[in-house]
Amino acid sequence: GRILVGDADQLARYTTNGTLDSSFGGSGLVGLPAAGVVKVIPLAGGDIIGVGESVDNALVVRLDGNGSPAAFGSGGAVMLDFGLEERLQDVVEDGSGNLILAGYEITPGGRYDQLLVRLTGSGLLDGIFGHGGFTVEGFTLDDGRAVTFDSQGAILVGGMGRNAFGLTISRHLVN
């Protein structure tokens, strides 16, 4: 039982009694490899993943269980630039250690399109997923806010349809 609390560029870990966990970064507080994280989740193996946006590019950071940058991307961070403004908002790990990331990109006309990305455990785009590791869906000015798997293993993405302010859900095959 540990509690993670963070903001755009740092992360703190507390014990269940509310004190900083000194086994995490030596003081309980670590700086993230890149600023712009909006969501942080612990993975089953102990690593920690953060997702967000940095300078209009999708951002993923990975720390090991003690708060050090993991062997992931460059110094624990991956910036993804698909040519537009992109932001990631959620992540889930599949049974093979790949990361499924949901978010959005903004088109030049201001339309929000759902962005779905799959990275390998080391931070590389998984080329067999979508179109070279990612897919963009322009359903209804949609952004991907939550990602999970259904009982058959397909990817479910929940979001918000920005043109009608309604909720959206999409289902994707794993490849």
Side-chain angles (χ1 to χ4, degrees):
R2 296 179 179 138
I3 303 162
L4 291 171
V5 179
D7 65 13
D9 62 356
Q10 61 184 352
L11 186 61
R13 187 166 73 187
Y14 293 89
T15 63
T16 54
N17 69 9
T19 61
L20 282 169
D21 180 357
S22 62
S23 70
F24 188 70
S27 66
L29 184 67
V30 298
L32 296 174
V37 171
V38 297
K39 184 169 187 174
V40 177
I41 67 156
L43 299 178
D47 282 6
I48 300 161
I49 297 288
V51 297
E53 168 189 13
S54 182
V55 193
D56 294 338
N57 294 321
L59 169 67
V60 186
V61 299
R62 186 172 193 152
L63 303 175
D64 64 20
N66 67 15
S68 298
F72 182 80
S74 176
V78 172
M79 299 279 225
L80 299 167
D81 182 2
F82 301 116
L84 300 171
E85 180 181 339
E86 299 98 7
R87 181 178 189 171
L88 297 172
Q89 300 190 109
D90 198 16
V91 58
V92 66
E93 185 179 36
D94 70 14
S96 300
N98 296 314
L99 301 174
I100 310 298
L101 306 134
Y104 62 82
E105 71 177 17
I106 303 174
T107 67
R111 189 173 103 178
Y112 284 66
D113 288 340
Q114 183 188 95
L115 174 65
L116 192 60
V117 178
R118 185 163 70 190
L119 297 179
T120 65
S122 62
L124 299 173
L125 284 168
D126 184 348
I128 64 169
F129 179 79
H131 306 285
F134 72 100
T135 184
V136 176
E137 302 292 341
F139 297 115
T140 57
L141 303 179
D142 177 56
D143 66 48
R145 296 198 175 195
V147 63
T148 192
F149 297 101
D150 70 11
S151 61
Q152 285 98 33
I155 301 164
L156 297 177
V157 180
M160 183 178 88
R162 292 180 177 262
N163 65 341
F165 300 103
L167 301 177
T168 63
I169 190 163
S170 60
R171 185 174 189 265
H172 304 264
L173 300 177
V174 295
N175 58 1

